[in-house]
Amino acid sequence: METKTSGSSLSKALNMLNHVCTSPVPLRFAELVDLSELPKATAHRQLNTLLEHGLVRFDEHKQAYYPGYGLLALAHRTWANLDIRDVAATPMRDLWSSTQETIHLAVLDGADVIYIDKLESPKSLRLYSAVGKKGPVYCTGVGKAMLAFLPEDKQQPIIDTQAFFRHTEHTLTSPEALKTNLKLIRETGISLDLEEHEMGIKCAAAPIFNSRHEAVAAISVTAPAFRTSDEAYDVMKVQVKQAADTISKRLGACE
């Protein structure tokens, strides 16, 4: 008589589900039995359980198993309940460790950006930003990173509401200048704040995408211009893009 713990039964079901989802072609019952190396009765029981929960589906005509639509609903609920701060925590820490500069995580809040997490540089640096504080979209690295990848019908209303106040001599002060910059950001995947919001402060940022390729957040590394050579800044750009890509993959974004 076969005995099982609930854990071993779950493992068998997940193994079966993995075969169905990763196979390049739909699998028949006999093929799943061979791949899973389970007795036919056990394989049948596991497949029935997966069918009941909508995680696999069976095509009567082809006599084959396919990934179930329940997986989509499960994935949707999972992404909806993910806290971006939790997902980004480790990549943010890694970026902070490698740069030793201030790291920001931000999201759009209407026509502004809001900082939702921040790791302070261990070096001396005073910044405008703080967790929970809002900032302008048009002259911050994180703001432009997200704005650049919004669809036109969402991007233009935000641009129309910007004050275009000149914070420094480098601030972009017109919709035309901003749109030119946004085009470059879309091409490179990196958004730069070259002393546009605060004099003496440079920032490199990159957008974070979800499974629908929507720019839902942005991450940045910020440093004073006096200790950021062109070579160091080029390295920061690569590092922040890698961090954003890592977080995006964790949110289900595809390449």
Side-chain angles (χ1 to χ4, degrees):
M1 180 177 179
E2 185 181 5
T3 60
K4 305 182 186 70
T5 64
S6 60
S8 63
S9 181
L10 175 61
S11 178
K12 289 180 176 65
L14 291 176
N15 184 50
M16 189 72 73
L17 180 62
N18 183 62
H19 286 309
V20 173
C21 292
T22 59
S23 174
V25 295
L27 296 172
R28 293 171 174 264
F29 178 73
E31 294 169 322
L32 283 167
V33 169
D34 289 340
L35 287 170
S36 64
E37 300 181 343
L38 293 175
K40 289 183 179 180
T42 303
H44 189 265
R45 184 164 53 250
Q46 301 303 335
L47 284 168
N48 278 343
T49 298
L50 295 172
L51 284 165
E52 289 172 6
H53 290 278
L55 301 180
V56 301
R57 56 191 174 89
F58 181 67
D59 187 306
E60 292 281 355
H61 178 68
K62 296 183 179 179
Q63 290 291 296
Y65 292 87
Y66 294 77
Y69 299 122
L71 290 170
L72 295 176
L74 185 62
H76 176 74
R77 290 194 296 270
T78 300
W79 304 137
N81 291 329
L82 281 176
D83 187 328
I84 186 72
R85 291 169 297 184
D86 293 336
V87 178
T90 299
M92 281 187 68
R93 177 64 59 177
D94 291 343
L95 183 60
W96 177 87
S97 296
S98 61
T99 64
Q100 293 291 285
E101 299 293 357
T102 298
I103 311 301
H104 293 108
L105 182 68
V107 296
L108 283 176
D109 183 29
D112 301 310
V113 297
I114 184 167
Y115 298 97
I116 61 173
D117 207 352
K118 179 180 181 181
L119 295 176
E120 296 277 4
S121 170
K123 305 171 186 177
S124 177
L125 177 62
R126 293 188 63 186
L127 293 173
Y128 159 90
S129 64
V131 173
K133 193 168 187 177
K134 290 186 178 182
V137 170
Y138 68 97
C139 61
T140 56
V142 287
K144 293 189 295 179
M146 291 180 281
L147 186 62
F149 290 90
L150 290 181
E152 176 67 21
D153 62 337
K154 293 184 178 180
Q155 183 190 89
Q156 190 59 51
I158 292 177
I159 293 176
D160 291 341
T161 62
Q162 298 305 299
F164 289 105
F165 175 79
R166 185 181 292 277
H167 293 271
T168 76
E169 62 186 75
H170 304 292
T171 304
L172 303 177
T173 56
S174 72
E176 293 73 25
L178 177 59
K179 286 183 177 181
T180 298
N181 192 211
L182 295 180
K183 180 180 179 182
L184 179 62
I185 294 168
R186 286 194 299 274
E187 293 172 353
T188 63
I190 299 172
S191 170
L192 305 180
D193 170 1
L194 301 175
E195 302 182 70
E196 296 166 39
H197 191 211
E198 296 181 72
M199 273 309 289
I201 299 297
K202 298 172 73 174
C203 164
I208 295 168
F209 299 98
N210 65 11
S211 59
R212 296 183 295 277
H213 202 69
E214 298 166 331
V216 294
I219 186 173
S220 68
V221 54
T222 302
F226 74 83
R227 68 168 179 247
T228 310
S229 65
D230 290 343
E231 293 79 9
Y233 199 42
D234 286 340
V235 173
M236 285 167 51
K237 295 174 193 176
V238 174
Q239 291 171 317
V240 78
K241 181 67 166 59
Q242 290 174 338
D245 289 346
T246 297
I247 300 169
S248 296
K249 288 177 183 176
R250 293 185 174 193
L251 289 175
C254 299
E255 293 286 351

